[in-house]
Amino acid sequence: MSLKETLRSKIEDFRPRTQKLIKEFGKIKIDDVTIEQCIGGGRDIPSLVTDVSYLDPYEGVRFRGKTINETFEALPKAENSMYPTVEAFWYFLLTGDIPTDDEVEEVLHDFRARANVPYYVYDIIRALPVGTHPMVMLSSAVLSMQRDSKFCRFYNSGKFNKMDAWSYMYEDASDLVARLPEIAAFIYRFRYKNCDIITSNPELDLGANFAHMMGIEPPYDDVSRMYFIIHSDHESGNVSAHTTHLVASALSDAYFAYSAGLNGLAGPLHGLANQEVLRWIMAFEKKLNGEAPSKENVTKALWETLNAGQVIPGYGHAVLRKTDPRYLAQRDFCLKTPGLREDRLFKLVSMLYETVPAVLTEHGKTRNPWPNVDSQSGVIQAYYGVTEWDFYTVLFGVGRAIGCMANITWDRALGYPIERPKSVTTAMLEKWASEGGRKAS
Ligand code: CMX
C-alpha cells in the first residue's frame, strides 16, 4: 500500500473515535480556566487535539508516542548515516507506523516527483528589496505557491466535501514539505553566496539533497536530517503550529496556513530565538576581548543582559520544565563529532549550560531556567560555515513544516471545525473576581 492508501485506512479507522467523543461524551468537563490563564496566553488550557506529538513538561516531546531517541532508533536510517531520513519520519508522523525500507523508498520517489519548485517562486524572492529578512522570503515563497493549491482547486470545483478534503490537503502538504529544502537553499545561496545557486540532486534523500544545495559537505547531511526531525513538531499550542492549525481551520489551504505559521515562527520569543542566541554569544565573545570564558565572566554578562531588561535567548519555555531533549540531541551530536566538540563556540554554549540555570533561578522570574532547542542549534550551523544567523529561522521553518503539514492533514481528516475560542472583557473578569468566581447562569 502507498503512504496515501495507508493513511486513508488509518483515517477511516480513527474517525469513529472522534465522533464518539463528540456525540456521547461531548459535555464531559476536562478542565477549569483561571483569570491568570485567560490573560496569560491560555497556558495549560487543554483546547487543542493532536495525536502527532505530545509535550510532557519534564520528559519533553514524544512523536507518535516515541521520545526523540526512540524515534531515531526505530526509524530506518539514511545510507551510511546514524540518522533516519526525513522521508521515513514523514511516513511515521502521518501514520504512526515505522515504515519498511520499501515504504521509505516509495516516499523518496514521491518527494522527487513533487520537489519541482515553480519558477515564479524564485522570481518573487529575487524581486524582494535588498535587506529583506530571509523569513520574509520564505513566507512569501510559500504564499506564492497558493496559486497551484490542489485543495483550493477542489474547494472551487463544486464537488467539495468534508470527507475527502484531507486527500487534497495531503497533496498540498506533501508538495510543500518536498519543495521547502530547495527554496530554503535557494534563499541561502541567493542572499549570502552571490546568487551562486546549486541545482538539486534528485538521487539524494531530502536531508542530503539540502546539504548538497547548501554547498556543504557531510556530515552536514546528518545535521540537516537531525535538525529537521527534532524541529518538526512540539504539540499544537506553540505559535507556529497553532497559527497553521488556526488558519487551516477556516479551510484555507496549506500555503495560506503555513505562510502564516512561518510569520509566527519569525518572532524572537519563538523560532527567531536561535538567531538571537548566536547574536548574543558573538556579542559576548567580543566583550571578552580574547579572555577565555569562565563562570565568573559569563555570570557577569548574563546579569548585564537581565539587568538591561532583556531575556537570555535559548532559555526558558512555556511548557517545558527541564532541559529540552532537542537541546540534548544536538549537544549529543556535538559531543560525538570530532572538531565540533572542541569548537570554541560549543565550549561557550556548554559553559552557558553550566551557568544560566543558576542565574535565572536567582533572578527568580522564569518558571523554567533550563535551555530550549534554540540555544544549541546556531553553534552547529556556524561550525559548518552557516554563520549568517538571520538564516537560522528558515532552517527551523523547513523542519516545522513536517509537523504542521501532518497536523493539518489530520485536521481535515477528522473534520475539526473552524477555531473560535471565546473572549471576555476586563470588566467581566473584574466582576467574576469580586464574586469569587463566575457563577453559573
Ligand atoms: N530570560 C529572562 N527572563 C525570562 C526568560 C529568559 N530566558 N524566560 C522567561 N523569562 C521571564 C519572562 O519574560 C517573564 O517575565 P515577566 O513576568 O516580566 O513578563 C517571566 O520570566 C515568566 O515567564 P515564564 O512563565 O517562565 O515563560 P513564558 O511562558 O512567559 O515564556 C518563553 C516562554 C520561551 C517565551 C521565555 O522563556 C523566553 O522569552 N525565552 C527566551 C526566548 C527563547 O528562547 N525562545 C524560544 C522558545 C523555544 C521555542 O520557540 O520552541
Side-chain angles (χ1 to χ4, degrees), residues 43 234 238 265 268-271 273-274 277 306 310-319 321 324 326 356 360 363-368 372-375 396 400:
R43 291 291 184 289
H234 221 218
N238 65 80
L265 192 69
L269 295 188
H270 189 23
N274 59 11
V277 170
L306 291 170
Q310 290 159 13
V311 295
I312 310 287
Y315 280 76
H317 198 274
V319 178
R321 294 294 173 260
D324 190 337
R326 300 173 300 171
V356 177
L360 279 178
H363 185 237
K365 274 188 166 187
T366 175
R367 277 179 258 227
N368 175 38
N372 60 56
V373 66
D374 295 320
S375 67
F396 198 154
R400 184 46 55 96

Side-chain angles (χ1 to χ4, degrees), residues 299 302-303 306-307 355-366 369:
T299 303
L302 291 170
W303 278 110
L306 291 170
N307 291 337
T355 319
V356 177
V359 171
L360 279 178
T361 304
E362 193 185 331
H363 185 237
K365 274 188 166 187
T366 175

Side-chain angles (χ1 to χ4, degrees), residues 64-222:
R64 291 283 180 187
K66 291 195 189 301
T67 62
I68 289 176
N69 286 341
E70 288 165 358
T71 304
F72 284 159
E73 222 161 272
L75 289 171
K77 311 289 176 291
E79 219 178 309
N80 301 321
S81 165
M82 298 175 295
Y83 291 94
T85 57
V86 170
E87 286 85 346
F89 183 68
W90 171 241
Y91 188 106
F92 172 60
L93 267 202
L94 276 171
T95 63
D97 293 345
I98 301 297
T100 62
D101 288 341
D102 285 349
E103 285 163 341
V104 176
E105 197 55 33
E106 190 229 288
V107 181
L108 280 156
H109 282 289
D110 184 52
F111 273 17
R112 264 169 219 155
R114 295 176 184 276
N116 244 341
V117 178
Y119 69 93
Y120 58 77
V121 172
Y122 297 130
D123 290 346
I124 283 164
I125 295 172
R126 282 194 199 94
L128 289 165
V130 176
T132 298
H133 193 279
M135 281 303 278
V136 177
M137 293 179 165
L138 185 65
S139 177
S140 308
V142 168
L143 190 58
S144 73
M145 291 189 285
Q146 193 281 331
R147 166 189 185 274
D148 295 324
S149 163
K150 293 163 185 162
F151 181 90
C152 183
R153 211 175 306 145
F154 178 53
Y155 187 82
N156 291 326
S157 68
K159 293 183 195 142
F160 184 84
N161 68 79
K162 271 179 87 172
M163 297 303 273
D164 294 332
W166 75 269
S167 162
Y168 297 86
M169 187 59 95
Y170 167 86
E171 291 299 325
D172 283 348
S174 307
D175 286 347
L176 190 54
V177 172
R179 288 174 189 174
L180 277 176
E182 187 176 315
I183 296 172
F186 179 92
I187 292 172
Y188 182 72
R189 305 281 312 177
F190 172 74
R191 200 168 192 282
Y192 309 106
K193 301 286 167 192
N194 248 338
C195 312
D196 181 12
I197 308 302
I198 301 172
T199 50
S200 140
N201 178 352
E203 293 306 309
L204 301 173
D205 67 271
L206 187 148
N209 198 17
F210 177 71
H212 158 77
M213 290 183 286
M214 290 287 285
I216 307 174
E217 295 293 313
Y220 193 69
D221 51 350
D222 264 346

